[in-house]
Amino acid sequence: MKALMFDVQGTATDFYTPVLSALEEASGGRSPETDWGAFVNEWRSMYFEAVDDIQQSRDDWVSVHAVYRAALDELLMAYSITIFSDEECEKLAGAWQTLTPWDDVVPGIRRLNERFVTATLSNADVSAVVRISRSGGIPWNVIFAAEMFGTFKPHPRIYLEAARFLGLPPKDIMMVASHKYDIRAAAALGFRTAFVARPHEYGPSVHADTKFEDEFDINARDFLDLADQLDCPPLPNSSV
């Protein structure tokens, strides 16, 4: 195995906390009856539904930012929330580009870089992945995102074209994600798979699917556990 490709939103980064903080700050105590935590997860769910329904190409690409923005308008209407201006809504949709890496991600990727090429394979916009990676200091070797391929995961094209850009057959690449649909789609194409459990992906009150499955090549608690299982050396002058 020569390379690892990583999902970003949820797997490598915490989306719940920064998006919740943005909503709470923007609301400023208005709409006190709203459960903003539940709102975040419903917003995320609407994004998944939207990208499942969109059949796109490079010529008519709809950005993920636009998907989140449209879903926000729909959700605010469903909640009968009218406290936000258009400018505030645009800023709130941008909160999905301010996600923060889980604590294990940066040291984990540094260790994995000692043995493998590391790349993102995200449904987020290229600009969002670049912004998140730079602000979080995540040292990926390569950034791939759905926008480059004109389709969203789990369409086979995004996995296979990423492998082509890496110059590797699928069997030499491991797809890493906390979402089982993602790695199952990759496995069907001959990629190796690593499931990473993220119990707090949807916040403290929602149970994420963290069950380890024998169908995956590796089941890991986090990126440091993944590095351990792949025999990556510890960082110099570090106990990690």
Side-chain angles (χ1 to χ4, degrees):
M1 195 175 67
K2 297 180 174 64
L4 303 167
M5 299 194 304
F6 293 81
D7 173 62
V8 175
Q9 296 184 68
T11 301
T13 59
D14 172 11
F15 65 80
Y16 179 88
T17 303
V19 176
L20 174 61
S21 295
L23 285 163
E24 291 177 338
E25 180 179 352
S27 66
R30 297 172 293 173
S31 192
E33 72 283 358
T34 302
D35 181 346
W36 292 114
F39 190 98
V40 171
N41 286 325
E42 193 167 349
W43 193 1
R44 174 73 166 165
S45 178
M46 291 176 69
Y47 150 78
F48 272 117
E49 292 172 5
V51 298
D52 280 346
D53 291 340
I54 296 174
Q55 298 297 320
Q56 296 191 143
S57 70
R58 293 177 181 87
D59 295 330
D60 62 354
W61 184 254
V62 176
S63 71
V64 169
H65 177 79
V67 172
Y68 274 123
R69 180 68 174 83
L72 176 60
D73 288 342
E74 185 178 342
L75 193 55
L76 289 172
M77 185 177 297
Y79 272 69
S80 299
I81 296 173
T82 59
I83 61 174
F84 299 125
S85 66
D86 286 344
E87 183 178 356
E88 287 174 317
C89 287
E90 186 68 17
K91 185 176 179 181
L92 284 169
W96 292 94
Q97 301 182 28
T98 65
L99 312 188
T100 54
W102 301 107
D103 289 344
D104 56 275
V105 168
V106 171
I109 294 298
R110 285 177 178 162
R111 287 183 59 190
L112 291 161
N113 282 342
E114 294 297 309
R115 289 199 61 203
F116 307 101
V117 173
T118 60
T120 68
L121 192 63
S122 174
N123 276 345
D125 299 323
V126 174
S127 60
V129 179
V130 170
R131 189 171 294 115
I132 290 166
S133 300
R134 289 195 67 193
S135 65
I138 310 175
W140 315 110
N141 299 139
V142 186
I143 286 177
F144 294 133
E147 184 179 3
M148 296 174 172
F149 308 112
T151 191
F152 291 111
K153 296 183 295 183
H155 193 287
R157 184 166 75 241
I158 187 172
Y159 303 97
L160 294 174
E161 290 201 11
R164 180 176 64 83
F165 278 121
L166 289 174
L168 296 171
K171 66 181 179 63
D172 289 347
I173 304 171
M174 175 170 280
M175 184 68 209
V176 184
S178 61
H179 311 124
K180 293 178 180 178
Y181 81 89
D182 195 352
I183 49 179
R184 283 172 175 149
L189 300 170
F191 291 81
R192 301 189 192 188
T193 55
F195 172 69
V196 176
R198 292 299 185 196
H200 304 299
E201 179 174 356
Y202 304 104
S205 60
V206 177
H207 177 69
D209 182 359
T210 59
K211 182 181 178 182
F212 288 176
E213 308 279 3
D214 291 340
E215 67 186 281
F216 306 132
D217 294 297
I218 289 179
N219 291 279
R221 297 185 303 277
D222 56 27
F223 283 15
L224 292 171
D225 185 26
L226 177 63
D228 286 341
Q229 294 191 53
L230 290 174
D231 296 323
C232 295
L235 297 175
N237 302 318
S238 172
S239 59
V240 175

